[in-house]
């Protein structure tokens, strides 16, 4: 089995205007992934419900993130974003 790898996808300090499209893009990619899963005809009811639950959570996460960034912008602050992805092999 291969060793896990870690990707530093985002690691930096941003003004809120720069951070907004980065975070929105990442969350939108996950929303689209779950929407595609729901549209597949071979999905179980359990799988569809899991994707619907995840979509709701991602939408809430996005709302909270955008609120946080708006408030930081109003205070003239910058934000640090550290995003590391770990990819590991999982045997079937």
């Amino acid at each position: 089995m291969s060793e896990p790898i870690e990707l530093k996808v985002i690691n930096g300090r941003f003004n809120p205007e720069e951070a907004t499209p980065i975070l929105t893009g990442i969350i939108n990619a996950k929303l689209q992934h779950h929407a595609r899963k729901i549209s597949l005809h071979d999905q179980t009811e359990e799988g569809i419900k899991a994707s619907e639950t995840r979509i709701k959570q991602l939408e809430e996460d996005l709302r909270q993130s955008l609120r946080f960034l708006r408030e930081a912008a109003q205070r003239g602050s910058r934000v640090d974003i550290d995003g590391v992805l770990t990819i590991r092999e999982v045997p079937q």
Side-chain angles (χ1 to χ4, degrees):
M1 193 174 325
S2 301
E3 289 294 315
I5 62 170
E6 287 192 354
L7 306 172
K8 286 190 175 191
V9 179
I10 306 170
N11 186 8
R13 182 161 290 164
F14 304 89
N15 67 46
E17 294 78 20
E18 295 169 324
T20 297
I22 293 170
L23 293 173
T24 302
I26 291 169
I27 293 175
N28 280 338
K30 284 297 293 179
L31 288 168
Q32 290 170 6
H33 166 74
H34 285 286
R36 280 192 302 273
K37 284 180 74 171
I38 289 171
S39 70
L40 295 175
H41 298 293
D42 62 348
Q43 273 287 82
T44 64
E45 186 174 333
E46 184 178 291
I48 291 170
K49 286 183 181 182
S51 284
E52 288 172 341
T53 298
R54 186 65 179 130
I55 286 171
K56 288 177 187 172
Q57 182 60 57
L58 287 165
E59 289 171 339
E60 178 58 26
D61 291 346
L62 181 58
R63 277 191 294 277
Q64 288 179 2
S65 297
L66 294 176
R67 186 178 319 116
F68 179 90
L69 292 173
R70 276 192 309 273
E71 291 169 359
Q74 289 171 352
R75 291 187 292 274
S77 299
R78 296 173 59 82
V79 297
D80 285 340
I81 303 175
D82 299 312
V84 177
L85 295 178
T86 302
I87 304 171
R88 65 181 63 86
E89 184 178 349
V90 179
Q92 290 197 21

